[in-house]
Amino acid sequence: LRVLMTTQRIYPSSQKTLLALQDEVQRWDYRAAPVRYVDNQDQHPNSGEEIKTFLSGLLSFRLGDAEALQQASRTLAARAAARPQARLPRSLAHTLEALIAWQQGDAAAALDKLDQSAMNVTYYETLHSPFWRQDFNRYLRAEILLEQRRYEESLRWYTATVDGFFSNSFYLPISYLRRAEIHEALGDFAKAIEYKSKFIDLWQDCDAALRPVVQEVRKNRDRLLQEKAKEPADKSRQVEGKK
């Protein structure tokens, strides 16, 4: 979960912190300390090494280490090929391939790889693992679509990440913040203010390292409040009519 958190760019992570976490992942003995989630059972008994490689690849992406990311991707692809019936290794391999494509500026290829990463899962699996639930994949798709200014599609994916059947509050802060940014870009200041306020309320007692983020969002929210106060009444009605 700490690795997954670093992929959200609202969390400040220095290179030193990321490298220390990368070292921790590389030293992780999955057999001695498997991923245990909710009911304290190993939810990935045959895919521990693949998860370890995947997490290492995510950190390489965050560090901007394209060579290490590609090596992690090749390793996962080879493992997936060796176990063609295994769902998780194949999915994780395609997810890293999506990151590589995005890093190289090919958003269309990245989205295609995310399509390929989809897998059928059981209800039990979704309850017990963020990897089976594919939380990161939905978040990544939303980020790519936002970068492409495909606002309406991106908005749906940020919402689905936290509000649907596969909801995960782990992504709630970034979902609120991105939805605020999208509504602001669409000219709906009222919605932008609403989601900025939700983000501020959620993080009002955050750790000291995160307070500058909250302060910046609060400053932007207050700016929007001032701009909205200056709006003519007919402009407000026009915005309401776009909903």
Side-chain angles (χ1 to χ4, degrees), residues 16-212:
K16 180 180 178 181
T17 299
L18 293 170
L19 288 172
L21 190 53
Q22 181 74 283
D23 181 65
E24 188 177 343
V25 169
Q26 290 172 353
R27 290 186 290 104
W28 175 30
D29 182 352
Y30 180 84
R31 292 176 180 82
V35 176
R36 300 187 187 278
Y37 203 72
V38 180
D39 60 1
N40 205 35
Q41 299 296 313
D42 181 1
Q43 304 303 323
H44 321 89
N46 301 311
S47 301
E49 287 300 319
E50 286 86 351
I51 290 175
K52 178 176 176 177
T53 302
F54 177 69
L55 295 177
S56 182
L58 292 185
L59 287 167
S60 296
F61 173 77
R62 189 72 165 82
L63 284 161
D65 189 341
E67 183 177 348
L69 172 58
Q70 290 175 3
Q71 180 57 52
S73 177
R74 287 193 292 268
T75 299
L76 269 178
R79 288 183 175 274
R83 299 169 56 200
Q85 301 305 315
R87 293 166 294 155
L88 193 56
R90 178 191 63 81
S91 177
L92 296 176
H94 286 314
T95 303
L96 287 192
E97 290 167 359
L99 282 175
I100 291 172
W102 191 31
Q103 190 177 62
Q104 295 174 345
D106 192 341
L111 292 171
D112 182 61
K113 288 297 182 181
L114 284 177
D115 287 340
Q116 294 178 48
S117 75
M119 57 181 169
N120 292 322
V121 293
T122 67
Y123 177 73
Y124 179 85
E125 287 168 338
T126 65
L127 290 177
H128 292 82
S129 167
F131 302 104
W132 287 118
R133 202 164 48 239
Q134 294 194 290
D135 299 325
F136 175 75
N137 298 55
R138 285 188 293 281
Y139 160 70
L140 177 58
R141 184 183 295 273
E143 290 279 280
I144 295 171
L145 291 169
L146 176 59
E147 187 180 81
Q148 296 297 301
R149 298 185 180 182
R150 293 164 63 175
Y151 294 132
E152 298 290 353
E153 294 173 82
S154 180
L155 185 62
R156 288 196 296 272
W157 280 100
Y158 282 121
T159 302
T161 300
V162 296
D163 290 351
F165 174 78
F166 294 98
S167 63
N168 186 349
S169 60
F170 183 75
Y171 288 95
L172 193 56
I174 188 69
S175 177
Y176 281 163
L177 191 55
R178 292 291 193 255
R179 281 189 270 181
E181 293 171 359
I182 292 170
H183 284 299
E184 183 175 358
L186 293 173
D188 190 342
F189 288 177
K191 279 290 185 183
I193 291 167
E194 175 187 341
Y195 282 108
K196 286 178 188 288
S197 297
K198 286 184 176 182
F199 175 83
I200 293 167
D201 289 343
L202 194 64
W203 273 20
Q204 61 183 332
D205 298 317
C206 66
D207 295 343
L210 301 175
R211 287 173 194 161

